[in-house]
């Protein structure tokens, strides 16, 4: 899914308590070396906040967030958003995608994972994950038939204040 995972990595950073919506990340000089791999931004964005990180889709900024956290925490956020699991739709041939878990997360694994490499999601899973962000952290049941959801429903999987900060 690539860069579509960056908002979930930012959410993981907010949840970690190490970062807030006003945190500044130094992306100079526009690239970062992780293990033996060089990860690049389109250009050097310098010092940016989390909003600019998402606007510019900064791999350097996202990598720095990921390296400051436990890889299992990032994976847990992705999982709570509905990735790597069946949607419960029951549609024939539906894939649950791939959401790997490593016994020991290497830095390159965390970095790549944080910007959507090394995992696989379906379009429906991705739409569901974004709906959790739009719905104040509540994950809803997926249906092919329109339902009236008045009165709630779904499970609160993220703190609504954290999701509001992300939005």
């Amino acid at each position: 899914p690539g860069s579509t995972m960056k908002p979930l990595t930012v959410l993981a950073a907010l949840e970690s308590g190490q970062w807030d919506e006003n945190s500044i990340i130094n992306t100079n000089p526009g690239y970062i070396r992780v293990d033996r791999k060089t990860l690049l931004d389109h250009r050097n964005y310098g010092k940016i906040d989390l909003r600019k990180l998402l606007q510019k889709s900064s791999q350097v900024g996202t990598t720095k967030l990921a390296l400051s956290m436990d890889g299992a925490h990032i994976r847990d956020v992705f999982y709570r958003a509905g990735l790597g699991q069946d949607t419960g739709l029951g549609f024939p041939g539906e894939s649950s995608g791939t959401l790997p878990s490593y016994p020991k997360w290497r830095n390159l694994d965390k970095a790549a994972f944080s910007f959507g490499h090394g995992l696989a999601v379906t379009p429906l899973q991705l739409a569901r994950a974004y709906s959790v962000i739009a719905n104040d952290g509540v994950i809803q049941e997926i249906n092919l038939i329109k339902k009236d959801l008045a009165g709630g429903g779904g499970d609160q999987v993220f703190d609504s204040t954290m999701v509001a900060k992300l939005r």
Side-chain angles (χ1 to χ4, degrees):
S3 291
T4 60
M5 295 296 99
K6 288 176 183 167
L8 293 176
T9 300
V10 169
L11 181 57
L14 292 170
E15 275 192 355
S16 77
Q18 299 173 63
W19 303 89
D20 65 39
E21 64 273 21
N22 299 311
S23 293
I24 301 297
I25 302 163
N26 189 354
T27 66
N28 280 318
Y31 62 88
I32 187 170
R33 187 117 171 114
V34 180
D35 298 336
R36 287 183 268 177
K37 180 98 170 143
T38 302
L39 306 171
L40 306 167
D41 278 342
H42 294 289
R43 67 178 189 81
N44 182 3
Y45 298 121
K47 294 180 180 179
I48 58 174
D49 61 15
L50 298 183
R51 175 176 290 141
K52 185 72 104 183
L53 180 154
L54 291 173
Q55 287 173 347
K56 298 298 182 184
S57 193
S58 172
Q59 278 194 1
V60 174
T62 306
T63 296
K64 287 188 172 189
L65 290 179
L67 294 178
S68 75
M69 296 181 282
D70 180 38
H73 174 66
I74 301 167
R75 184 197 185 278
D76 178 61
V77 168
F78 287 21
Y79 184 82
R80 285 186 283 144
L83 305 179
Q85 53 190 303
D86 190 285
T87 62
L89 186 62
F91 201 71
E94 181 185 17
S95 171
S96 60
T98 306
L99 193 63
S101 181
Y102 302 101
K104 182 167 175 20
W105 288 76
R106 295 180 309 148
N107 285 337
L108 188 56
D109 294 330
K110 281 197 289 188
F113 195 81
S114 74
F115 51 78
H117 291 244
L119 63 147
V121 303
T122 67
L124 185 58
Q125 288 173 325
L126 183 58
R128 184 181 194 190
Y130 272 72
S131 76
V132 173
I133 295 167
N135 199 27
D136 290 327
V138 175
I139 193 165
Q140 297 285 341
E141 176 185 327
I142 301 289
N143 291 291
L144 291 177
I145 300 170
K146 184 177 178 180
K147 286 186 175 182
D148 180 17
L149 294 177
D155 296 320
Q156 188 79 42
V157 294
F158 299 114
D159 181 271
S160 60
T161 55
M162 291 293 157
V163 175
K165 289 177 184 181
L166 173 65
R167 281 197 313 269

